[in-house]
Amino acid sequence: MAPEDIKKLRQELGCTARELAGALGIEQETVLAWEHGDLFPTKRFVGMMEELRRKGPEAIPRKKKRQIAASPLQVLADPELWRLFRKLLAHPELRSAATKLAEAYPDPTDAPPP
C-alpha cells in the first residue's frame, strides 16, 4: 500500500491520522510515517485497512467532542430541570434522598472566583 493510498483511505473514511491509528491499534506516528513513505504497513495492517475501507466511515471509532458547559440561562430553560424541581417539591422523601446525595458534591458558590 503506497503513501497516497493511505491518504486516500483516510479521505474516504473521513478520519484523521490519529483516528485511523486508533482503529488499527497503533500510534499516530506510524500512520504518518506510512503517509510520508518512511515506513510501509505490513500485510496484516494492509488487510485491516482494506477491511476498514469495506466497512466505511462508521468503522472508525470517533472521540466524542467535549460538550461546552451550558450557561445558567440555558440550564434554567431546560424543561427536565423544572420537571425534577416539581418532583422535589411534591415528594419530601425524594428531597431528603437528593439532599443526602448532594452532600458528596461541592457547592459551586463555595468555589473561589476564576
Side-chain angles (χ1 to χ4, degrees):
M1 186 171 267
E4 44 289 337
D5 296 329
I6 297 167
K7 290 176 188 175
K8 184 179 177 192
L9 172 65
R10 282 203 309 108
Q11 286 179 335
E12 289 174 22
L13 297 174
C15 67
T16 65
R18 181 180 306 251
E19 290 170 331
L20 179 58
L24 296 171
I26 58 175
E27 297 293 322
Q28 175 185 358
E29 290 76 20
T30 303
V31 172
L32 294 173
W34 291 345
E35 289 186 357
H36 291 116
D38 297 332
L39 295 173
F40 293 92
T42 62
K43 186 176 180 179
R44 174 177 158 236
F45 289 114
V46 170
M48 290 172 73
M49 286 187 277
E50 290 301 330
E51 183 66 18
L52 291 172
R53 174 178 277 131
R54 190 184 65 70
K55 290 180 179 178
E58 299 78 31
I60 301 295
R62 312 274 181 193
K63 251 187 156 179
K64 291 183 180 177
K65 292 186 179 179
R66 199 171 65 195
Q67 292 184 343
I68 299 171
S71 73
L73 288 176
Q74 288 172 319
V75 173
L76 287 173
D78 182 1
E80 194 60 33
L81 174 69
W82 293 103
R83 183 171 175 260
L84 177 60
F85 185 70
R86 288 189 304 272
K87 287 182 176 185
L88 288 168
L89 290 175
H91 304 285
E93 65 280 2
L94 176 60
R95 189 172 349 148
S96 176
T99 300
K100 286 179 186 172
L101 180 64
E103 288 174 2
Y105 295 85
D107 187 329
T109 60
D110 293 341

